[in-house]
């Protein structure tokens, strides 16, 4: 164990703190993802190395050496200050790492920089009406015609498809191959003719996801990541990144701090909520769990850097992280009682209604990105080496 | 920068683990639990030779001079093997108290004996955490009077006793006016007991006027008990996965039933982050003082909760076999139950965590 926060790190923490103190007023608060404050803030954070920190400069990142202590300090300080630590989303958190790993040089140069800067917003076209948990049974097809793929079919639950400029999409290119081996991974512009997006309203009241229909959508042949038929492999490498991002303990830590403040401010019968031992104990339980997940996160980062195996520690993050976050938001609602029910533009609304919307949103994330049940299948099979579900007998 | 164990620590883990697997199997624990042994002398001697009893004792006093993380690594192995040995108090809490607050004479007398495994020490500090039955010890004129319950590592030659002003004293087991009674608990691999003091001459630890010393001693005990739970729970999970891979019902191994797989996945998902938590808590104890108390509290409480879940679930995976004495799974179940309550159950320790943050 070598976590010595030597002088260098203390100085670095000081720098981050000073930066936040000096610039927090410029940080976006609930602005749209293309607004000037968001894009400016993103550019500033990349320049300072507080986001896209280790992505090479030639691709539009900050280009710093990986240093998990510094990454931890940045995550902590932004979380403590409850200030935005930059843009997230499927493009930045899932596609960029995948392109870095598998993309061609041309793809890296073309897509990573604009994605990091927030100029290209992506959506993820995986799920279909009949291919959810069983994603590999997807049927949206792409047939090569000259120098172009011709895409036909339908996606569903596609988050931000309405706002997105581009989509990374799984399509079946080898209909004769076994189901996992017939899939390819395409990138294409959402402006391509033949794409229709129909928003689906979610339980939160927002239309965060959509149905997307493809009719003879023509995609240049080279906009494939990995080779033909390797899409499942590429997608799995993405899912690894997605599962790391869903349930991020630092984001949860930030919400925990907000929850602690809330419980100190709100009162029941003129007593602070935190003075109620039952609420206090529930808060402390969650604090302990958040702590465990943050140390687990440090272990994962360190294992990556030092080429050690912490695969089980990584495999459990999506399951534990999203369930924990859902419970945390739920505790805030309980602490608020009837006030916790208020929503949208209601007077007396607390925290802009975020406790309720996050509570519901995180239920969505428990389902999205591979449900909790699917996570448990993965943990038991790949993590613990238990046998796969036997295939039902053909009748 | 590395968040993990050093090569030396992995070596320590392996050497203790290998010895325990080869020489201190469940049969040995069972023999200890069934018999009337005060100490499992063979195990104590062998572990003393491996440096376990002197692990955190300074080299100047015959110990190995290691730190809390090393103690946690060993505790994990002991829990994993339900080893019948006095460790939490005898090898960690009492040596720590002596080193932080003992006089030169106290250290020179006791530390070499403890390091060599020639003496063992108990800790009577439960009342400083949460007194049951209104038990308390008061000190006056160099003597102790009162009652101490749930003394850890009770079969000892010397006791570390916390009085009602949080000052600590040493009392020899053979001291006049001291009555000692074993309290039989579910966990027969470790002894706890009651001490009654009637004007017993005590030898105060001069440095323990500072109440932070006792708090450190309790933190250390909590980390070590939590690490013991980590090892015990990991072992129960491993046993459950192995058993499920062999046991057949409905013409297939039960490990292929999703309900069973999901029980195991949930155990793994809750337990895996505990490993990092123990590492950090133990590391923080020595190196990050500003975080160490809160981390120790949360680690104790969290491992108590996760341990309880794993103990129940792993037993269920074994079906009726899990409930038998024959398989012996209950030794781990009880070990985890013991660790959960000693030095403060989850609710009490979380209340302390809240107080540390001035939320109360
Ligand atoms: C908020 C949100 C955002 C999303 N965003 C996107 C996106 O941007 N792009 C995209 O492509 N998709 C997205 N999805 C879709 C998401 O990936 C799927 O909803 C998810 O994979 C589950 O598929 P399904 O909805 O078809 O449910 P089903 O697969 O029908 O599952 C229904 C229930 O059956 C259980 N189940 C299914 N199979 C098994 C099994 N083998 N073992 C045990 N239980 C099983 C599930 O756990 C679940 O409880 C999003 C979903 C949500 C909720």
């Amino acid at each position: 164990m070598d976590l010595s926060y030597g002088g260098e790190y203390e100085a670095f923490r000081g720098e981050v703190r000073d930066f936040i103190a000096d610039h927090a007023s410029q940080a976006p608060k609930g602005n749209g993802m293309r607004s000037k404050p968001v894009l400016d803030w993103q550019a500033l954070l990349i320049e300072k190395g507080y986001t896209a920190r280790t992505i090479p400069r030639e691709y539009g990142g900050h280009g710093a050496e990986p240093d998990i202590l510094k990454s931890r300090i940045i995550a902590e300080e932004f979380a403590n200050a409850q200030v935005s630590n930059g843009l997230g989303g499927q493009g930045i958190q899932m596609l960029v790492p995948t392109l870095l790993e598998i993309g061609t040089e041309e793809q890296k140069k073309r897509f990573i920089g604009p994605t990091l800067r927030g100029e290209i917003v992506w959506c993820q076209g995986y799920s279909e009406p009949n291919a959810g948990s069983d994603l590999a049974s997807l049927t949206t097809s792409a047939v090569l015609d000259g120098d172009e793929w011709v895409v036909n079919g339908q996606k569903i639950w596609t988050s931000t498809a309405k706002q997105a400029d581009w989509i990374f999409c799984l399509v079946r290119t080898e209909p004769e191959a076994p189901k996992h081996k017939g899939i390819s991974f395409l990138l294409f512009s959402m402006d391509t003719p033949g794409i229709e997006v129909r928003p689906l309203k979610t339980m939160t009241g927002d239309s965060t996801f959509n149905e997307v229909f493809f009719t003879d959508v023509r995609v240049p042949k080279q906009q494939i990541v990995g080779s033909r038929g390797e899409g499942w492999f590429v997608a799995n490498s993405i899912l690894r990144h997605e599962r790391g991002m869903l349930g991020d303990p630092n984001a949860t830590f930030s919400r925990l701090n907000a929850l602690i403040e809330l419980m100190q401010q709100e009162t029941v019968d003129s007593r602070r909520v935190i003075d109620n031992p039952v609420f206090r104990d529930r808060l402390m339980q969650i604090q302990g769990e958040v702590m465990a997940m943050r140390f687990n996160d440090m272990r994962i980062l360190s294992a990556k850097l030092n080429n050690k195996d912490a695969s089980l520690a990584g495999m459990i993050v999506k399951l534990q992280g999203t369930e924990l976050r859902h419970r945390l938001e739920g505790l805030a609602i309980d602490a608020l009682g009837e006030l916790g029910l208020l929503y949208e533009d209601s007077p007396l609304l607390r925290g802009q209604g975020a406790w309720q919307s996050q509570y519901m949103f995180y239920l969505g994330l428990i389902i999205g990105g591979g449900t909790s049940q699917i996570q448990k299948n993965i943990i038991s099979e790949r993590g613990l080496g238990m046998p796969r579900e036997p295939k039902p007998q053909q009748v | 920068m590395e968040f993990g164990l050093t090569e030396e620590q992995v070596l320590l883990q392996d050497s203790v683990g290998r010895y325990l697997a080869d020489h201190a199997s469940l049969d040995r624990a069972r023999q200890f639990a069934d018999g009337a042994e005060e100490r499992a002398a063979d195990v104590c001697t062998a572990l003393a030779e491996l440096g376990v009893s002197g692990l955190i004792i300074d080299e100047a006093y015959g110990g190995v001079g290691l730190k809390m993380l090393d103690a946690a690594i060993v505790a994990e192995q002991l829990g994993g093997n339900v080893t019948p040995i006095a460790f939490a108090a005898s090898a960690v809490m009492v040596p720590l108290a002596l080193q932080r607050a003992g006089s030169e004479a106290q250290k020179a007398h006791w530390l070499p004996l403890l390091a060599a495994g020639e003496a063992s020490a108990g800790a009577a500090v439960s009342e400083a955490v949460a007194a049951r039955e209104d038990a308390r010890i008061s000190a006056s004129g160099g003597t102790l009077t009162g009652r101490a319950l749930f003394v850890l590592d009770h079969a000892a030659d010397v006791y570390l006793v916390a009085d009602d002003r949080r000052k600590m004293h040493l009392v020899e087991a053979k001291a006049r006016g001291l009555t000692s009674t074993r309290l039989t608990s579910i966990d027969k691999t470790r002894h706890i007991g009651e001490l009654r003091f009637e004007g017993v001459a005590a030898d105060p630890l001069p440095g323990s006027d500072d109440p932070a010393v006792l708090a450190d001693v309790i933190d250390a005990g909590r980390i070590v008990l939590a690490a013991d739970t980590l090892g015990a729970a990991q072992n129960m999970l491993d046993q459950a996965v192995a058993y499920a891979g062999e046991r057949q019902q409905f013409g297939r191994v039960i490990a292929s039933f999703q309900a069973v797989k999901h029980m195991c996945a949930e155990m793994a998902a809750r337990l895996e982050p505990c490993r990092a938590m123990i590492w950090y808590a133990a590391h923080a104890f020595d190196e990050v003082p500003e975080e160490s108390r809160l981390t120790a509290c949360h680690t104790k409480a969290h491992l108590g909760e996760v341990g309880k879940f794993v103990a129940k679930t792993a037993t269920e995976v074994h079906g009726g076999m899990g409930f038998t004495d024959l398989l012996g799974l209950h030794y781990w179940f009880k070990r985890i139950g013991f660790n959960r309550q000693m030095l403060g159950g989850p609710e009490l320790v979380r209340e302390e965590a809240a107080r540390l943050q001035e939320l109360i």
Side-chain angles (χ1 to χ4, degrees), chain A residues 180-238:
Chain A
H180 293 88
K181 300 207 165 127
I183 297 171
S184 297
F185 191 100
L186 299 185
L187 310 175
F188 50 94
S189 164
M190 290 297 282
D191 293 334
T192 322
I195 301 179
E196 188 196 343
V197 178
R198 292 188 203 149
L200 286 168
K201 198 163 170 175
T202 73
M203 70 185 286
T204 67
D206 298 331
S207 298
T208 42
F209 54 33
N210 307 268
E211 290 178 287
V212 183
F213 297 87
F214 306 117
T215 315
D216 294 330
V217 176
R218 301 190 77 90
V219 177
K221 190 179 158 188
Q222 73 279 11
Q223 285 173 204
I224 184 172
V225 180
S227 319
R228 262 183 95 138
E230 273 188 3
W232 186 252
F233 165 74
V234 179
N236 270 318
S237 113
I238 279 205

Side-chain angles (χ1 to χ4, degrees), chain A residues 69 129 215 222 253-254 257 270 277 279 301 306 338 350 369 376:
Chain A
L69 271 185
T215 315
Q222 73 279 11
F253 179 65
S254 180
N257 290 335
S270 311
F279 280 122
L301 285 169
N306 296 293
E338 296 88 334
R350 299 302 203 261
K376 289 177 198 172

